[in-house]
Amino acid sequence: MSTRTADVIIVGASLAAAAAAKRLVDAGLETVILERQELPRHKICSGILSPRGHRFLIENFGPLPREVLHEPTWCRGVTFHFPSMVSLSMDFFGGTTPHLHRKYSDHWAIKRSGAEVHDKTSFVGLEQHDDHVMVRARKDGEDISYRARHVIGADGPSSPVIRALYPDYPKQIPWFFVGQKFHDIIECPLDHEYFHFWFNPDLGHYTWSHARDGQQIVGVGFKAGDNFDAKHKNVVRYFEEKHGVKLDPHSSHEGCAENFGPSLINRYVFGKGNVLVTGQAAGFLNMIGEGMSCALHSGAIAGEAIVEARLRSRPVQEMYRKMIASEVRRTTDQWNPLKIAFDKPHEADFPAALGKLSWRERGLVMRDMWRFIVLYKEFKWGRQIFKAAMSRVGAASYPAGRWS
């Protein structure tokens, strides 16, 4: 079995991988991306990118071509819906943002990164040595070996790289299932210019809807083990009863496992030795479930950390953990109740929208949000969220001691 040598191996052809590869290739490092599927590959995602992520794509990869976008091609902001039937619509700071077709946007960014790509190549495992990492992979039933100075896991929430580094990690965190079904529209009063999110514990842990390519997406997130069809039917019924949304039976559906918790409680996983973990694999996820912007930025930081570590002859984990603190701060601030109440950690102005409501409506919203938060009580996150929030008071970032 021959061995392919490169400076860096990246596992997963994701947006995080594209951002990391761009930094590495620009620095002159030979970079190979491994992707188990054939490219361009399908990716389950809302596709609603934040303004910050949009700026990153333009600055690093150039203007987005039309073929990487869904219809409607842009999103104006976010609307929060509450059981009390109060709704808050918030425009994104800086204007509209694109509605990415992840199958094509990810592939476009990967190609623009300049890295060498080996698709239909599955990561099998790795072994760390003093000055290199050996990666085992498989393509078309044949075993393949790679040798690199560094490896980056940018392979999503169910990361095989993390399982190789921390075999027990999947058992140590709660897992959720996130699924979305696609419906032809009979009647839909929901504003198609917005991404809609429901703070309603009776609907599930994460409920959303938005327009895509002439259909309406109905999405539900819930604890792994619950019934997708039952959860979805309950949401569709609620939408019709409370919002007048009338939809045909779904024509297709999709779903995947998600790791919601790490960004809430500052329990990120950044790897060990010469193996870095980034993007949603590391635990980055914004409050409305948008992980693309923090994947792009954390991926770029992973690439920059490798470049800096080589230039300064420093351990790469030392550099990465120092540099990634800014992205941890930005992401975990979005879940921090003190930041939400007294600052503007999001890319839409929640305090301003709340301030436009009557005092009675504000009270209803705060009551509904509290009841929604209680839904997560079984995961024992409340105390950890509070500790993380208090540790941030007067501090530049969150404690690095909680990271793996």
Side-chain angles (χ1 to χ4, degrees), residues 15 47 49 54 57 62-73 98-109 111-112 213 292:
L15 289 176
L49 182 65
H54 187 201
L57 284 179
L64 277 66
R66 175 62 183 84
E67 58 266 25
V68 308
L69 303 175
H70 282 293
E71 181 67 39
T73 58
H99 183 185
L100 295 184
H101 193 312
R102 293 294 302 277
K103 178 176 181 177
Y104 301 110
S105 61
D106 290 25
H107 191 216
W108 167 78
K111 290 188 295 183
R112 299 280 292 181
D213 299 332
M292 293 174 284

Side-chain angles (χ1 to χ4, degrees), residues 104-124:
Y104 301 110
S105 61
D106 290 25
H107 191 216
W108 167 78
I110 288 290
K111 290 188 295 183
R112 299 280 292 181
S113 75
E116 182 179 333
V117 181
H118 295 184
D119 65 352
K120 297 188 288 184
T121 304
S122 298
F123 170 86
V124 175

Side-chain angles (χ1 to χ4, degrees), residues 173-178 205 221-227 256-258 379:
I173 64 171
W175 286 92
F176 296 83
F177 180 86
V178 174
H205 295 81
F222 49 86
K223 185 174 61 175
D226 288 347
N227 186 281
C256 63
E258 292 284 0
F379 307 117

Side-chain angles (χ1 to χ4, degrees), residues 279-300:
Q280 200 172 347
F284 287 105
L285 193 66
N286 291 327
M287 188 175 182
I288 62 169
E290 188 272 329
M292 293 174 284
S293 59
C294 40
L296 286 164
H297 284 83
S298 64

